[in-house]
């Protein structure tokens, strides 16, 4: 009983918001503010027609490729910087300067350099994931007390063995934090790239809906985007729990 | 074998022309105040620190031998068990790194765990161990690889008196059983009198030998440690 009351209380702000939205939609009676049930109906129509799945599929593939490539490359560069002083000295200032640039700040430059094609959103997502993950990996490695490394060396472990068994696992909480923070950002990035430059994907669906004054479609797209972003972050969190939850 | 010779060893800001001979199987306790340079000696012996002068192990110059190849065991006062590895994996770490067969590893760990009474802890992670348990696991990890020399940096400093006493006893018998040469750094006089076959006192980077009797009488303690 207590549990169901708790669930109800926890979700009550959402329920109240949906109720207000529904009533406001009915009162306004204008296409500019469709009710919640109208938006759900449109979601169903877009799903059945395959339009939503097709556009979501385009966005999803771009996000996954860009995020995995950027994350992986970020981890590799972070490890190189964290374990080699010369590489750190050479790369850290560059990364520190480029890290604060908002990903969308790269969009005009990339449009000119890469052109308006499939590579554009993927490169932007790559940039979005790369810098923070590289920095998080570096910080994670730097925070490992030297005594762990010394103890491992005294036990006869080679540098490669120490990297795989000690450095990477102990830096992984920081790496996962970087990955998790960017898991939402990459969806914002793909949305913007598709709205401005690419004719397919959730962002393109939204911008097309805007030109047809289809607020219901825009709202469906926003809801899908929110769900994808939330799901992505939760997946990374679940991966983190599975990888390091036992000992952390 | 684990005879050590330090010949004019100096380290910046820490040690000044230290000469010292430690026989094979000797239990040497290095006493001194905080910052006197006690841990520096251990770090040099382990190969963690740059130094001038010559360092010999069993008559062989080891100045340029990396830590991994020196055949030492090392236990820091904060123990630093690897938090991502279970107790079993912590103890197995050195043996696995040196490519011992899995069968040998599990046999050695079983033996060591029994000796240190930690068999029931093998599947736990370090976060679930008490201070005394961590210390026992740390000792097991350091000696399971059968090092020639065991370096201990204030290993009992964070334990309560009763646990420290117990582990001190175990350390002494393990050192004798494995015929280990031990260099034990501490500022605890009880550690020195109970464990040492030789006591070294270090002050301002310079060392001198003192007797157990002198430590017992706290002559040096009153003069210099307080």
């Amino acid at each position: 009983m207590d549990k169901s009351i708790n669930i109800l209380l926890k979700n009550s702000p959402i329920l109240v918001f949906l109720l207000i939205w529904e009533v406001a939609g009915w009162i306004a009676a204008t296409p500019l503010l469709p009710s919640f049930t109208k938006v759900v109906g449109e979601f169903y129509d877009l799903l059945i027609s395959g339009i939503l799945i097709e556009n979501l599929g385009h966005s999803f593939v771009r996000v996954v490729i860009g995020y995995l490539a950027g994350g992986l490359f970020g981890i590799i560069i972070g490890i190189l910087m964290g374990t080699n002083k010369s590489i750190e000295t050479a790369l850290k200032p560059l990364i520190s300067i480029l890290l604060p640039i908002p990903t969308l700040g790269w969009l005009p430059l990339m449009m000119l350099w890469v052109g308006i094609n499939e590579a554009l959103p993927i490169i932007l997502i790559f940039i979005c994931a790369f810098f923070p993950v590289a920095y998080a990996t570096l910080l994670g490695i730097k925070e490992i007390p030297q005594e762990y490394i010394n103890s491992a060396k005294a036990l006869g472990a080679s540098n490669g063995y120490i990297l795989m068994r000690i450095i990477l696992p102990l830096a992984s909480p920081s790496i996962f934090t970087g990955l998790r923070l960017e898991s939402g950002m990459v969806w914002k990035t793909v949305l913007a790239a598709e709205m401005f430059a690419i004719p397919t994907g959730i962002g393109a669906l939204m911008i097309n809906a805007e030109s047809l004054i289809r607020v219901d479609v825009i709202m469906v797209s926003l809801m899908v985007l929110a769900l994808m972003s939330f799901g992505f972050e939760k997946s990374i969190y679940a991966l983190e729990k599975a990888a390091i939850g036992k000992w952390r | 074998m684990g005879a050590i010779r330090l010949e004019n060893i100096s380290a910046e800001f820490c040690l000044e022309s230290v000469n010292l001979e430690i026989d094979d199987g000797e239990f040497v306790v290095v006493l001194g105040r905080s910052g006197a340079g006690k841990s520096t000696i251990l770090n040099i012996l382990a190969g963690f620190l740059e130094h001038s002068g010559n360092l010999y192990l069993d008559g062989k110059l080891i100045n340029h031998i990396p830590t991994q190849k020196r055949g030492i065991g090392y236990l820091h006062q904060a123990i630093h068990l690897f938090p991502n590895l279970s107790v079993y994996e912590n103890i197995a770490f050195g043996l696995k790194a040196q490519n011992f067969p899995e069968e040998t590893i599990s046999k050695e760990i079983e033996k060591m765990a029994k000796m240190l009474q930690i068999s029931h802890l093998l599947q736990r992670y370090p976060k679930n161990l008490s201070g005394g348990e961590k210390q026992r696991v740390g000792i097991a990890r350091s000696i399971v690889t059968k090092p020639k020399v065991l370096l201990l940096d204030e290993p009992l400093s964070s334990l309560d008196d009763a646990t420290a006493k117990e582990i001190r006893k175990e350390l002494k018998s393990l050192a004798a059983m494995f015929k280990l040469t031990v260099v034990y750094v501490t500022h605890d006089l009880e550690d020195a009198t109970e464990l040492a076959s030789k006591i070294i006192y270090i002050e301002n980077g310079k060392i001198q030998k003192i007797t157990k009797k002198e430590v017992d009488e706290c002559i040096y303690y009153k003069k210099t440690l307080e």
Side-chain angles (χ1 to χ4, degrees):
Chain A
M1 187 64 183
D2 279 354
K3 204 177 169 188
S4 42
I5 290 173
N6 267 339
I7 293 170
L8 195 70
L9 278 174
K10 206 173 154 186
N11 293 307
S12 57
I14 298 171
L15 294 173
V16 170
F17 171 74
L18 294 179
L19 190 69
I20 292 170
W21 178 5
E22 182 68 16
V23 173
W26 283 108
I27 293 171
T30 160
L32 291 176
L33 184 58
S35 66
F36 173 64
T37 47
K38 172 91 176 45
V39 171
V40 171
E42 186 55 36
F43 171 77
Y44 180 76
D45 289 344
L46 286 170
L47 200 65
I48 294 298
S49 65
I51 294 172
L52 187 61
I53 297 290
E54 189 193 336
N55 283 289
L56 182 60
H58 283 297
S59 300
F60 186 78
V61 169
R62 288 166 192 151
V63 164
V64 168
I65 294 173
Y67 181 68
L68 287 182
L72 194 66
F73 197 57
I75 291 171
I76 292 169
I77 295 296
I79 290 171
L80 288 174
M81 286 196 295
T83 53
N84 187 309
K85 194 77 197 155
S86 311
I87 298 178
E88 186 194 354
T89 310
L91 292 184
K92 198 179 168 189
L94 190 66
I95 288 185
S96 302
I97 288 169
L98 297 178
L99 176 71
I101 298 175
T103 310
L104 293 179
W106 294 94
L107 183 59
L109 197 61
M110 289 301 154
M111 282 168 82
L112 292 171
W113 282 355
V114 180
I116 296 174
N117 56 46
E118 198 56 45
L120 179 67
I122 293 174
I123 288 173
L124 285 174
I125 293 161
F126 177 94
I127 292 169
C128 176
F130 169 74
F131 288 109
V133 172
Y135 209 75
T137 306
L138 172 66
L139 284 186
I141 292 174
K142 288 284 163 195
E143 279 169 11
I144 299 171
Q146 184 60 34
E147 293 302 333
Y148 285 122
I149 316 294
N150 285 349
S151 299
K153 279 185 181 172
L155 291 164
S158 65
N159 290 341
Y161 194 82
I162 294 171
L163 175 68
M164 297 311 290
R165 296 284 287 165
I166 306 299
I167 294 176
L168 263 182
L170 295 190
S172 58
S174 179
I175 297 173
F176 273 114
T177 303
L179 286 170
R180 203 148 32 84
L181 288 175
E182 292 317 303
S183 61
M185 279 307 295
V186 289
W187 281 95
K188 291 180 188 128
T189 304
V190 79
L191 180 81
E194 289 168 350
M195 282 172 78
F196 285 111
I198 304 292
T200 55
I202 291 289
L205 183 67
M206 276 178 78
I207 212 72
N208 290 337
E210 188 265 343
S211 61
L212 298 169
I213 321 175
R214 290 292 303 273
V215 177
D216 50 351
V217 176
I218 295 174
M219 285 181 166
V220 168
S221 305
L222 285 174
M223 283 163 68
V224 167
L225 194 76
L227 283 174
M228 290 309 293
S229 187
F230 181 76
F232 229 59
E233 193 187 337
K234 286 289 167 196
S235 307
I236 302 295
Y237 186 68
L239 199 67
E240 181 181 353
K241 277 271 164 211
I244 62 174
K246 261 197 297 188
W247 57 269
R248 209 179 171 210
Chain B
M1 291 286 279
I4 300 166
R5 184 150 59 92
L6 284 80
E7 206 176 74
N8 288 321
I9 294 285
S10 298
E12 213 174 354
F13 310 122
C14 298
L15 290 182
E16 208 180 303
S17 288
V18 167
N19 289 292
L20 177 67
E21 285 201 30
I22 298 170
D23 294 335
D24 182 35
E26 226 175 356
F27 201 122
V28 174
V29 171
V30 182
L31 272 176
R33 283 188 294 193
S34 298
K38 308 185 297 285
S39 298
T40 307
I41 291 187
L42 289 197
N43 288 333
I44 287 173
L45 287 171
F48 301 147
L49 207 62
E50 292 284 321
H51 62 86
S52 61
N54 291 327
L55 182 62
Y56 297 90
L57 181 60
D58 293 329
K60 200 173 130 190
L61 185 68
I62 59 163
N63 282 9
H64 302 295
I65 306 276
T67 303
Q68 286 96 328
K69 308 246 184 247
R70 289 194 180 192
I72 51 147
Y74 171 77
L75 187 60
H76 187 261
Q77 57 181 316
I79 312 160
H80 288 108
L81 296 178
F82 306 127
N84 56 316
L85 303 179
S86 67
V87 167
Y88 181 95
E89 290 165 328
N90 259 284
I91 303 173
F93 186 88
L95 298 170
K96 283 188 177 174
Q98 294 173 43
N99 296 317
F100 278 81
E102 200 59 50
E103 202 181 322
T104 313
I105 292 173
S106 73
K107 263 186 201 164
E108 287 298 325
I109 291 174
E110 201 181 311
K111 208 165 72 183
M112 195 56 67
K114 210 170 161 188
M115 239 183 271
L116 283 152
Q117 300 161 52
I118 50 171
S119 302
H120 60 296
L121 305 174
L122 289 176
Q123 299 314 315
R124 286 200 205 163
Y125 280 84
K127 68 173 181 180
N128 298 319
L129 300 178
S130 69
E133 289 168 342
K134 279 183 188 167
Q135 205 58 258
R136 286 194 167 89
V137 175
I139 292 167
R141 187 179 70 175
S142 308
I143 59 177
V144 76
T145 51
K146 299 191 172 65
K148 293 175 187 171
V149 178
L150 183 60
L151 308 174
L152 302 168
D153 193 350
E154 308 213 31
L156 309 180
S157 61
S158 58
L159 301 178
D160 60 84
D161 286 348
T163 314
K165 203 169 181 176
E166 232 174 82
I167 295 181
R168 205 180 283 133
K169 225 159 104 184
E170 285 167 16
L171 255 179
K172 199 170 180 175
S173 69
L174 283 168
M177 188 187 301
F178 289 94
K179 297 184 175 63
L180 288 168
T181 304
V182 181
V183 184
Y184 185 109
V185 158
T186 185
H187 59 265
D188 187 324
L189 297 170
E190 213 178 323
D191 281 355
T193 50
E194 282 197 22
L195 293 169
S197 54
K198 182 193 279 176
I199 300 173
I200 306 291
Y201 180 74
I202 183 159
E203 190 178 18
N204 296 328
K206 290 181 177 171
I207 66 167
Q208 52 188 293
K209 279 178 212 169
I210 54 175
T211 64
K212 281 192 183 193
K213 194 166 169 265
E214 283 171 319
V215 176
D216 275 339
E217 290 167 358
C218 294
I219 295 169
Y220 281 81
Y221 182 67
K222 280 175 185 158
K223 272 186 184 168
T224 56
L225 285 180
E226 267 183 346

